[in-house]
Amino acid sequence: MRATEIRALGEVAAEGVTVLRDVVRGMHTGIASRVFTSVGPAARPVEVIHDAIAHTVYSAVGTAGQRLPEAVTAVAAARVHDDTPIDQTPAAAEAIAALNGIYGDELAARGNALATTMAVRVDGRRVDPTPSAVAEAFPDATNRIVVFVHGLCQTETSWRRPPRPGVDAPDPRPYGARLRDDLGFTPVDVRYNTGLHISSNGHGLDELLTALTEAWPVPVSDIALVGHSMGGLVVRSACHYGDEAGRPWVGKVRQVVCLGSPHLGADLEKGVNAASWALSRLRETRALAEFLNLRSDGIKDLRFGACLDEDWGEADPDEFLRDRCAEVPFLTGVSYHFVATSAAPRPVGMMLGDHLVRPSSAAGRGRRRRIPFEADNGLVMTGLHHFDLLNHPDIYDRLVHWLAVSAT
């Protein structure tokens, strides 16, 4: 762990204390205000004393919360001589990914060292998109690339999840390793800050693929893009912005596959939006609403599947359940595919989906909006939860079927 990362942890800890203090103070103030108002003018002297004491206590807690973590991390940073990035350690990388998913937009805005930057990763290590670095990372590179883009609060290691117990999986290896052997695709894993706007990551993925294909050791003929959950939306966004900019890599894309992606939004985010709106109506719970509204831009984009800058650029991010999303056209000549699943049979499965995304959203089939997947380009399954999609033999068989078209 580097000294800058230790100091970054201190900044996060100090911010966490501040947020907790503000929530408690807000609820305390709201409840006290309600009580004093109900009593009337007779309570004014007590109210003045109460407010003075509360202000002193909360100020002291805030000061301690800022200075103590900074002091502790400053001492620790001075004693650290290891220059290995913390995000190369799998357990630490997963914790940082979760932090980025929840709070990554603020980390990036503050320049915090824990803010993940989009990059190709091999064995947890960042690969710079230069010819020498890419050639070293991919010594057996082929002319076909399959790019894997993970979902919210995840890293590229999510793709190495083993099949769920009880599933008959003759080959439990990740999709990428199997596609290399079966179809000659070189798997490329991407890690990114899932707390940023989906469209911001779309721009980033466009730029990364531009640099990667230019630095690739051999001429690239085919590109397949596979995204899980939020990753599918990032892929669609990148294709759109890459096409707008006339990027050469876009012309090499043959297949786009979205596994459990909330094209029409995720119910959990809609529920949190509705809850925070309701909590903000009362002064006693307004602080809780403000706390809930601290969740990242990336999470809020999942409310209705926002893939474009225009979807959020001039909107109040916490407005009550308003869908402003424009449709993102598919690339011409590219086959788009989806996988949707539910954890229970109908009709319960249609309501609950895979615990995070409903089948109708993953398939892009809504009453008002419809994503133009062709009827034969989808796979709908039951009995699987959201993360089972990362490694399942039936899904892999369909991937081989879909991607074989571009491998011939």
Side-chain angles (χ1 to χ4, degrees):
M1 182 186 298
R2 297 175 292 190
T4 54
E5 293 168 338
I6 292 177
R7 287 191 288 269
L9 285 170
E11 293 172 7
V12 171
E15 182 64 18
V17 172
T18 299
V19 168
L20 181 60
R21 180 206 62 178
D22 289 347
V23 170
V24 174
R25 180 173 60 182
M27 294 183 66
H28 178 180
T29 301
I31 294 170
S33 175
R34 178 81 68 182
V35 171
F36 290 130
T37 299
S38 65
V39 173
R44 182 58 183 163
V46 177
E47 182 179 8
V48 171
I49 296 173
H50 166 273
D51 290 350
I53 294 174
H55 175 75
T56 301
V57 171
Y58 287 121
S59 295
V61 171
T63 300
Q66 288 292 323
R67 293 181 179 176
L68 185 59
E70 291 176 1
V72 172
T73 53
V75 172
R79 298 185 178 186
V80 168
H81 304 289
D82 184 3
D83 202 38
T84 302
I86 188 175
D87 63 1
Q88 286 188 14
T89 305
E94 291 177 7
I96 292 171
L99 177 64
N100 273 258
I102 297 167
Y103 195 59
D105 52 343
E106 280 294 321
L107 292 177
R110 294 169 184 241
N112 188 287
L114 298 180
T116 300
T117 55
M118 179 173 285
V120 172
R121 297 272 177 159
V122 173
D123 296 329
R125 298 189 301 275
R126 177 190 176 96
V127 179
D128 292 327
T130 63
S132 58
V134 172
E136 181 180 357
F138 299 96
D140 301 318
T142 64
N143 62 337
R144 300 184 178 110
I145 301 174
V146 55
V147 180
F148 291 93
V149 185
H150 60 76
L152 178 69
C153 293
Q154 301 288 302
T155 72
E156 73 284 354
T157 60
S158 64
W159 294 104
R160 289 185 273 286
R161 175 190 178 94
R164 68 186 300 179
V167 172
D168 183 14
D171 189 343
R173 291 182 301 159
Y175 295 148
R178 299 181 66 186
L179 286 172
R180 180 182 183 90
D181 290 347
D182 293 342
L183 297 179
F185 279 95
T186 300
V188 174
D189 292 327
V190 172
R191 186 189 300 182
Y192 66 104
N193 181 348
T194 59
L196 299 179
H197 279 293
I198 289 170
S199 62
S200 298
N201 281 317
H203 287 293
L205 183 57
D206 166 35
E207 295 170 2
L208 179 62
L209 291 177
T210 297
L212 180 68
T213 51
E214 289 175 353
W216 200 249
V218 298
V220 177
S221 62
D222 299 320
I223 297 175
L225 304 172
V226 181
H228 174 247
S229 195
M230 175 189 281
L233 304 184
V234 172
V235 164
R236 289 180 57 210
S237 179
C239 288
H240 172 76
Y241 288 118
D243 188 44
E244 272 195 340
R247 307 287 198 189
W249 70 265
V250 175
K252 304 178 190 300
V253 176
R254 304 290 180 261
Q255 308 285 351
V256 171
V257 181
C258 301
L259 307 178
S261 297
H263 300 290
L264 304 181
D267 288 346
L268 181 58
E269 163 54 23
K270 293 174 184 177
V272 174
N273 171 246
S276 63
W277 181 87
L279 290 169
S280 69
R281 304 299 99 183
L282 296 174
R283 54 188 168 185
E284 293 90 341
T285 55
R286 195 164 294 141
L288 283 176
E290 293 171 354
F291 172 72
L292 289 175
N293 287 337
L294 291 176
R295 66 195 186 281
S296 70
D297 292 332
I299 292 177
K300 293 178 183 180
D301 283 347
L302 295 176
R303 192 178 309 155
F304 293 106
C307 294
L308 302 177
D309 296 338
E310 295 89 333
D311 294 339
W312 56 266
E314 297 181 359
D316 174 4
D318 302 310
E319 63 186 353
F320 181 67
L321 293 178
R322 180 174 177 181
D323 186 355
R324 296 175 177 265
C325 295
E327 299 309 335
V328 183
F330 286 176
L331 295 176
T332 303
V334 175
S335 294
Y336 284 72
H337 309 270
F338 72 87
V339 176
T341 186
S342 60
R346 295 186 179 187
V348 176
M350 298 303 293
M351 291 294 295
L352 300 180
D354 60 14
H355 298 315
L356 291 176
V357 180
R358 289 193 195 185
S360 58
S361 182
R365 297 168 182 166
R367 294 180 180 178
R368 191 180 67 84
R369 294 170 54 201
R370 190 176 182 88
I371 310 302
F373 291 108
E374 294 184 8
D376 295 334
N377 282 4
L379 173 64
V380 180
M381 305 179 70
T382 59
L384 304 181
H385 63 64
H386 195 62
F387 299 102
D388 288 336
L389 301 177
L390 291 162
N391 192 342
H392 193 278
D394 293 344
I395 294 174
Y396 179 73
D397 289 344
R398 193 59 63 95
L399 278 175
V400 169
H401 173 72
W402 288 334
L403 270 59
V405 175
S406 64
T408 56

